[in-house]
Amino acid sequence: MRLDLSLESVQEGIWVSGTVNGTAIGECGRCLDEVRQEIAAPVQGLFEYPDSRAAGEEEGSEDVFEFDGENLELEEVVRDAVVTSLPFTPLCDPDCPGLCDQCGARLADDPDHAHEVLDPRWAALQSFTDEKES
Ligand SMILES: [Zn+2]
Ligand SMILES: [Zn+2]
């Protein structure tokens, strides 16, 4: 993760804005393959001094974090930015065919993968033709 932030001192605290760049690693929602996704998420947040909030400010607004006057808890603002930029279900490919529901094989590796499903009513006939061929 690479942070590219600028900090600006404002009346209520410190205004942080910038971008976070990095690679998110997840799991394909269909075939469970590892998915790496480059992300570049905008980061912004206001780190408010605790006492400035008592001055009748709106509470509960987004992108507002508490600032104890010493340490900026950047982790939270960065995590928020990253999470909102990620897709809900990551996919290794938008057309990922997923896994075979019979044996769990990865269909993207084997596009012709199929199982012959014989109707039991034909099974007798199948063994009959096998015998004839041999
Ligand atoms: Zn996949
Ligand atoms: Zn299969």
Side-chain angles (χ1 to χ4, degrees):
M1 290 283 172
R2 197 167 56 83
L3 288 171
D4 197 354
L5 298 178
S6 66
L7 309 178
E8 197 181 324
S9 190
V10 294
Q11 201 185 343
E12 303 94 329
I14 296 193
W15 174 251
V16 177
S17 62
T19 49
V20 54
N21 293 281
T23 307
I25 299 173
E27 208 172 58
C28 174
R30 293 185 194 154
C31 72
L32 309 181
D33 242 29
E34 187 179 272
V35 179
R36 283 168 178 270
Q37 187 169 2
E38 297 296 321
I39 50 170
V43 173
Q44 61 174 25
L46 177 65
F47 286 82
E48 269 190 340
Y49 298 121
D51 51 355
S52 75
R53 206 170 266 199
E57 297 256 337
E58 280 181 49
E59 266 194 62
S61 72
E62 280 179 58
D63 302 334
V64 176
F65 304 88
E66 214 166 273
F67 179 42
D68 61 10
E70 283 178 33
N71 300 303
L72 288 174
E73 299 279 344
L74 287 173
E75 199 184 315
E76 195 179 349
V77 67
V78 169
R79 196 181 54 219
D80 278 8
V82 170
V83 166
T84 47
S85 76
L86 288 175
F88 188 63
T89 307
L91 294 175
C92 64
D93 185 281
D95 298 322
C96 174
L99 300 177
C100 172
D101 59 6
Q102 307 249 350
C103 69
R106 199 167 165 261
L107 297 180
D109 295 336
D110 190 1
D112 300 324
H113 184 90
H115 294 266
E116 275 185 60
V117 183
L118 281 177
D119 189 312
R121 282 171 297 177
W122 295 109
L125 185 64
Q126 180 74 33
S127 60
F128 176 70
T129 50
D130 284 350
E131 269 171 43
K132 256 179 83 177
E133 278 164 20
S134 58

